[in-house]
Amino acid sequence: MRIAMNVENNLMPSEAQIKCIMEGEKDKPIHMVNLLKFRDKAEYEDGRETDMTGRQAYAIYSAEVKGHIERVGGEVLFEGEVNGLMVGKVEDLWDMIAIVRYPKMKAMMKMTSDPSYEESAIHRIAGLEGQLNIETKAF
């Protein structure tokens, strides 16, 4: 029996996903697996003109977010380019994968609500066509 899988890249969590995060366990360590798809050309919400690619805009975010992650006790464990798919099928592969460890969900939530993080996130939104964020917990 085959199970159909619908994959939808987004930039922000849905209301249902936010509710799940808010109701979930917030005091245990988590690892966030980020599957990233870049825009061909960066698109800033404020309408600013740019010649940057999505990858270049995201690189600004990536450099800045590491400090935000460290301030809440987290750590970037892995960043890498996607080279191919060994098992399974998807219509379009992601461009990059990043894995980030947070000491707890509360730390990630604190980080993403900080105004200085929100300034950095402008480049994330400009650079990404969409992404999947997968919350994982170690055994």
Side-chain angles (χ1 to χ4, degrees):
M1 176 162 94
R2 291 197 125 174
I3 298 173
M5 182 182 289
N6 181 27
V7 177
E8 186 177 317
N9 284 321
N10 287 310
L11 292 175
M12 305 301 279
S14 68
E15 285 186 33
Q17 290 166 327
I18 291 171
K19 182 179 178 191
C20 199
I21 290 167
M22 297 307 288
E23 292 174 353
E25 208 170 327
K26 295 180 198 69
D27 289 322
K28 299 238 174 167
I30 62 167
H31 292 78
M32 293 299 290
V33 178
N34 300 270
L35 306 178
L36 308 166
K37 186 70 179 166
F38 299 116
R39 298 178 194 264
D40 291 331
K41 184 176 182 332
E43 294 178 23
Y44 283 90
E45 289 183 323
D46 62 9
R48 74 180 79 170
E49 290 296 318
T50 183
D51 291 330
M52 286 192 294
T53 65
R55 186 180 298 270
Q56 290 168 324
Y58 188 84
I60 295 168
Y61 167 78
S62 181
E64 292 179 6
V65 79
K66 288 174 183 158
H68 298 294
I69 291 167
E70 290 169 1
R71 276 191 287 286
V72 296
E75 174 184 16
V76 176
L77 300 176
F78 175 82
E79 287 181 297
E81 299 291 319
V82 174
N83 292 328
L85 188 65
M86 290 190 63
V87 177
K89 282 185 175 181
V90 293
E91 240 177 76
D92 197 16
L93 280 177
W94 293 269
D95 298 315
M96 184 177 165
I97 294 174
I99 301 172
V100 179
R101 182 198 54 77
Y102 293 94
K104 51 190 166 187
M105 179 60 82
K106 284 181 182 178
M108 189 185 86
M109 292 167 59
K110 178 182 177 184
M111 179 192 79
T112 59
S113 64
D114 184 296
S116 66
Y117 169 82
E118 291 172 3
E119 289 177 27
S120 297
I122 291 167
H123 303 292
R124 174 188 159 275
I125 293 167
L128 289 178
E129 183 179 311
Q131 73 182 89
L132 297 180
N133 275 9
I134 303 167
E135 177 189 346
T136 66
K137 294 177 183 168
F139 296 118

